[in-house]
Amino acid sequence: FDEGSFDNCPGDVLLSFSPNVNNTNLDLTCADLGEQVIQLWVTDAAGNQDFCETFVIVQDNQGFCGPTADPLIVGGNIQTEMGGNVTEVMIDVNDGVTNPFMTSQNGNFSFNTLVDGNDYTVAPEKNITPLNGVSTLDLVIIQRHILGMVPITSPYKLIAADANNSGGVSTLDLVDIRRLILHIDLEYQNNTSWRFVEADYVFPFSGNPFATTFPEAVDINGLLASVEHDFVGVKI
């Protein structure tokens, strides 16, 4: 579980599963199937300690634990409009108990420890590296759209152009993007660097995605079966 803990004091650091430095083994049994939260403690030579939380998913791939009911799984995939997988998206089910899931290279996410019958809200979020992929060419494209020269027709690209999250595309968006490019601002003042739209959603007016409220999260009322909810990632 260690990603490279280090310390500036002389001597090696000790890794353990609790403040007790001798607690270096963790036994997981059939009673621990599913997602189990663990703490990884680091202790330096001077006795200073810190820890972080992560999790391990215990699976019974060989059927050793005997027949069990299939777990309910809530999962999905996050891709861009062009089909590229979106990594480092934090997915939360907003139940106050389940740890968020971060998408990896395949853009997938999966929760397999949710309680049947409970309500959940699947909400993706990503707000890092806002300048990634942003250039002065974007300013030209948006300006041509505003002037009616070359309209932007994709609803996802219109959402991407709404840098100030005002529900429309205007010269004020150009100002926010320009401030980002010039490093006057390090992030968008009224927006995140990514937004997400439920993949199954059909925009009533593709030329104006802001005419109605598009779903950026999915509500599950009374989970009774495994479900899949995909999202389209939009880089602002």
Side-chain angles (χ1 to χ4, degrees):
F1 293 103
D2 184 40
E3 286 286 351
S5 303
F6 67 94
D7 188 71
N8 56 5
C9 293
D12 296 332
V13 296
L14 301 176
L15 301 177
S16 58
F17 290 113
S18 73
N20 182 354
V21 296
N22 295 316
N23 185 14
T24 57
N25 294 312
L26 190 64
D27 292 328
L28 299 168
T29 70
C30 291
D32 302 304
L33 292 179
E35 181 180 303
Q36 301 297 328
V37 177
I38 67 168
Q39 291 183 347
L40 180 67
W41 285 77
V42 181
T43 306
D44 68 9
N48 300 306
Q49 292 184 314
D50 203 352
F51 75 95
C52 62
E53 282 193 349
T54 182
F55 63 91
V56 56
I57 297 177
V58 183
Q59 297 177 333
D60 182 24
N61 297 322
Q62 303 298 322
F64 176 83
C65 297
T68 58
D70 292 335
L72 298 184
I73 298 176
V74 173
N77 179 261
I78 300 183
Q79 294 185 330
T80 64
E81 179 185 11
M82 304 305 294
N85 297 327
V86 185
T87 64
E88 297 184 276
V89 181
M90 192 67 71
I91 315 293
D92 199 350
V93 291
N94 296 324
D95 63 350
V97 178
T98 306
N99 288 324
F101 191 105
M102 179 174 287
T103 60
S104 57
Q105 295 299 320
N106 57 16
N108 292 337
F109 65 92
S110 179
F111 297 91
N112 63 356
T113 60
L114 303 183
V115 180
D116 59 328
N118 284 3
D119 298 336
Y120 298 97
T121 298
V122 183
E125 181 181 355
K126 182 176 182 178
N127 190 27
I128 59 175
T129 57
L131 192 56
N132 184 35
V134 179
S135 70
T136 54
L137 177 60
D138 297 308
L139 299 176
V140 174
I141 294 173
I142 295 173
Q143 189 170 35
R144 288 176 176 175
H145 170 80
I146 294 173
L147 295 175
M149 299 170 59
V150 184
I152 300 174
T153 58
S154 163
Y156 301 109
K157 288 183 173 61
L158 288 170
I159 294 172
D162 182 21
N164 65 358
N165 196 17
S166 65
V169 179
S170 69
T171 54
L172 295 178
D173 296 305
L174 296 175
V175 173
D176 278 18
I177 298 173
R178 187 175 289 111
R179 289 177 64 89
L180 197 69
I181 293 175
L182 296 176
H183 299 281
I184 298 174
D185 292 334
L186 298 180
E187 59 184 8
Y188 293 115
Q189 298 303 302
N190 298 301
N191 210 345
T192 53
S193 62
W194 284 80
R195 295 180 71 179
F196 301 91
V197 183
E198 185 184 3
D200 291 338
Y201 180 72
V202 178
F203 292 93
F205 309 98
S206 60
N208 182 14
F210 313 106
T212 57
T213 301
F214 50 86
E216 299 186 75
V218 175
D219 292 324
I220 302 174
N221 298 316
L223 179 66
L224 297 177
S226 296
V227 292
E228 180 173 331
H229 291 289
D230 300 331
F231 291 88
V232 176
V234 180
K235 176 63 177 65
I236 302 301

